[in-house]
Amino acid sequence: MPTFSARWPDRARFAVAALVVGVLALPVLSAAPAAAEPGTTSDPAAAAAGYLARQLTDGTHYVFDFDGSTPDFGLTADGVFGMAAAKVSGTAQAAATAYLAANADGYIDSAGAFGGPFPGSYAKLALVATVTGGDPHAFGGLDLLARLAALECPATGRPECAGTPGLFRNSTADGGFPNVVTQALAVLALSRSVAADHPDAAAVDFLAGRACPDGGFPSLFPAAGDPCASDVDGTAFAVQALLAAGRVAAANAGLDWLMSVRLADGSFVGTGVANANSTAVAVQALLAGGRDATPSVGWLRGRQIDCAGPDVQRGAVTYTGTFDGNALRATTQSAAALAGQPLTTLTAAGSAADAPTLACVGAPPTTPATTSTPTPTGAPTPTPTGTPTPTVAPTTTPPPAAAPELPNTNGTDGRQIVLLGVTGAALVGLGAAALLAARRRA
């Protein structure tokens, strides 16, 4: 008796072959992220920059927490840097830059109503102009670099400058709050301009001379007789300025100190607690100096709100792991670190206009159940110079929240799964029918 297979009609064989080919042709489900839809991003830096754009009051500036209305010019400048680094939110960048230009006199306190003019404000606005492709000699109608240079202490001729040639300060009793970060910003702003604007040796020597015996830098100048205590934020800004000015040896000593105090998880401690602000500026310094910042960037990623969080918070980087009012200030500096852009080379060139949201496939929008309000002592507070360094630690240190990798999705749409299932079932059904028919005919 002939075998069954030898008696199959050609049509049955063709049907079974079609079944096999159809099954093999089924798309394979992959865990790789799908391409982001227009207006969305899966890039952590771009997601942070999109969040920054959406926090601007009137689309132009940030405000202080204490009253929710007073413009925070220094934070606005930091926001411009963060958005520029991520190469997105170009429309928001332009609006914030225009706002800073229109209000430059108020930030600098040119009239001296509040102890200005502040050298740090001149320096920070000059950096904004440079980063965004503007002219620091004509920003808001002011020659920022010329005015900054005029505040540098000469060797003689200014009694308030006795013993501090090269220090940037004004003639008021408090000197416009000079500190290491202000000095670093001034040296950096001048170094990033044309050669004719570069800082003189006295200004760079003064900064390099503030190093502590261990190679790091403080944020504030220690009083006479007090020990020099190195600080992550002060060192990070000083290192970037020294690199921009060509003082590689002094910068490398600062980088060595930063590497020595980095925690095992990649974070850096500032004001007594590991936080995103200090870690972010340390990352910028490490990148500028060619050191490995990978663990620290990973730590920042772990503090970023991803698809598991409320949609209005997604992209923000938390100060210590829990979303609160400190997240905006933490995100302004973290965006540049996530983008791998130090202040030494930061530029907004090539920025896309839109402010993307985090791509979360299949994740429905959510809203926060409650809104955290920072306590007056819990928010990182800028100095009058516009320095982005937090000066007061939060009153409590919440444990870091577990944060899945960003974005929290494998890119698979549920509708695709249903379609694949229906298609597969149909092919299997056709094959079974063909096989049954072949048997009956045999």
Side-chain angles (χ1 to χ4, degrees), residues 166-262:
L167 171 66
F168 289 92
R169 60 158 292 164
N170 62 23
S171 58
T172 60
D174 56 31
F177 306 100
N179 55 74
V180 169
V181 177
T182 291
Q183 188 76 12
L185 289 173
V187 170
L188 184 57
L190 291 166
S191 297
R192 288 207 54 182
S193 187
V194 296
D197 295 322
H198 287 185
D200 58 19
V204 184
D205 287 343
F206 188 90
L207 176 61
R210 300 314 102 190
C212 298
D214 57 14
F217 290 78
S219 283
L220 304 175
F221 300 132
D226 288 349
C228 184
S230 294
D231 168 82
V232 170
D233 296 64
T235 302
F237 282 102
V239 161
Q240 293 181 80
L242 291 169
L243 287 171
R247 297 295 182 89
V248 178
N252 278 334
L255 288 167
D256 289 342
W257 180 83
L258 283 174
M259 295 292 286
S260 73
V261 299
R262 180 165 64 182

Side-chain angles (χ1 to χ4, degrees), residues 96-118:
T97 300
Y99 182 88
L100 289 171
N103 293 275
D105 267 320
Y107 180 35
I108 294 163
D109 189 26
S110 300
F114 303 100
F118 301 118

Side-chain angles (χ1 to χ4, degrees), residues 65-134:
D65 291 332
F66 67 83
D67 65 356
S69 61
T70 301
D72 189 336
F73 301 115
L75 184 61
T76 302
D78 290 334
V80 171
F81 296 150
M83 291 184 283
K87 305 295 187 186
V88 295
S89 302
T91 299
Q93 287 180 49
T97 300
Y99 182 88
L100 289 171
N103 293 275
D105 267 320
Y107 180 35
I108 294 163
D109 189 26
S110 300
F114 303 100
F118 301 118
S121 298
Y122 279 127
K124 208 162 194 181
L125 288 181
L127 281 173
V128 168
T130 299
V131 166
T132 59

